[in-house]
Amino acid sequence: MPPQGEVQWLFFDPSVLLNENGTEQRWRRGVVQALQRRGRAVTLEQVERAWMQAISAPRPVQPLLGAVRHLAPEAPAEEVVAEVIATSGQQDMLVTGLQLALHELRQRFRLGVIGPYRPPGTRERLARFHLSFGLVALSDELALSHRLDAAGKVDPAIFTWALRKVNALPGQAAYASDRVSLGLAPAKMAGLTTIWLRTTNYRLRYPRNGYETPDLTFNSLPEMARALTRGPGLLRKG
């Protein structure tokens, strides 16, 4: 087994591989329609505002679920979310520069995907682009790191599961995510090196505690790939 301080595995949050803007826009329109079917008239602008409020909320929350709860607290939120995802379809694209960045990173690391607090369907969305990784661990499939408790506490279980699956120690893995609360925090709780990719609207939520504070920060995936392949010591611990 490699030394504890040498990072061998680099895991990604699916949201830094897929440009989900188109899909999330469809989901927001789906919220309007789903709530209208339940007698609650809301506008797309209201949904978009509630979505952004959920991202920046003090307690972590998935924005789709948070928007529904904010706009229609009496509605069965998880039922509405499932309906929206099932009826809205998806319109993902690959993040700009992804394929070259992955090619560069594969020269130094084994690559995997860990998706905590993800809605259903992520595996199919990755497969659509023929993206292949040594490990794909998704919360909705494993029922790990899938739900927040009553206090909004994040759960690192899916990261612990992934480390066991690839036979790696926490210090031998790093995790890149755009989400400090629902991505980096549980990864750091499990002992992984954390990398914040400030590439989506989630950059509006700044770290609020030690677990949410990343070890490294980059503004794009290609920038991260260049830094990690040309300066591998950035990920060395101990």
Side-chain angles (χ1 to χ4, degrees):
M1 182 175 283
Q4 157 72 1
E6 182 180 346
V7 170
Q8 299 289 309
W9 279 91
L10 177 57
F11 296 109
F12 299 95
D13 192 320
S15 58
V16 302
L17 304 175
L18 300 175
N19 182 331
E20 301 178 305
N21 290 339
T23 295
E24 291 183 347
Q25 182 66 13
R26 288 190 175 194
W27 286 351
R28 289 190 285 269
R29 293 192 186 102
V31 170
V32 173
Q33 296 165 359
L35 294 184
Q36 285 178 344
R37 287 192 288 270
R38 289 166 172 80
R40 172 61 69 93
V42 299
T43 66
L44 181 58
E45 181 180 356
Q46 288 175 311
V47 175
E48 290 173 340
R49 188 161 53 247
W51 187 284
M52 299 306 294
Q53 288 173 347
I55 287 176
S56 59
R59 289 176 54 181
V61 63
Q62 296 168 323
L64 175 54
L65 184 63
V68 172
R69 286 176 173 168
H70 176 76
L71 294 167
E74 76 289 350
E78 293 189 358
E79 175 186 306
V80 173
V81 167
E83 177 183 318
V84 167
I85 293 172
T87 59
S88 299
Q90 61 86 25
Q91 199 174 14
D92 296 333
M93 297 185 295
L94 291 180
V95 166
T96 301
L98 174 67
Q99 298 288 20
L100 180 57
L102 293 181
H103 174 74
E104 293 176 350
L105 290 166
R106 283 194 173 100
Q107 310 309 306
R108 286 205 53 85
F109 308 102
R110 301 181 70 179
L111 305 184
V113 172
I114 301 178
Y117 306 100
R118 292 291 301 182
T122 299
R123 184 178 295 273
E124 291 75 13
R125 293 160 68 186
L126 291 170
R128 175 172 173 258
F129 294 102
H130 306 288
L131 297 177
S132 178
F133 297 93
L135 176 78
V136 177
L138 301 172
S139 58
D140 61 301
E141 297 178 351
L142 298 170
L144 295 172
S145 300
H146 187 48
R147 298 175 185 273
L148 299 162
D149 66 16
K153 183 180 179 181
V154 294
D155 177 8
I158 195 170
F159 294 94
T160 303
W161 182 92
L163 291 173
R164 289 199 303 266
K165 191 72 173 177
V166 301
N167 194 30
L169 297 172
Q172 296 165 345
Y175 185 64
S177 176
D178 59 328
R179 310 173 188 206
V180 296
S181 56
L182 297 180
L184 302 188
K188 181 165 280 193
M189 286 180 183
L192 283 72
T193 298
T194 57
I195 303 169
W196 187 18
L197 285 175
R198 300 185 68 246
T199 54
T200 70
N201 284 331
Y202 286 90
R203 65 182 178 273
L204 298 176
R205 181 189 171 103
Y206 275 81
R208 304 186 186 191
N209 55 55
Y211 286 121
E212 292 185 359
T213 301
D215 297 303
L216 296 169
T217 301
F218 299 102
N219 293 313
S220 73
L221 189 57
E223 179 190 346
M224 184 192 82
R226 289 192 297 270
L228 297 188
T229 54
R230 297 173 187 177
L234 288 173
L235 289 180
R236 188 169 294 125
K237 283 188 173 183

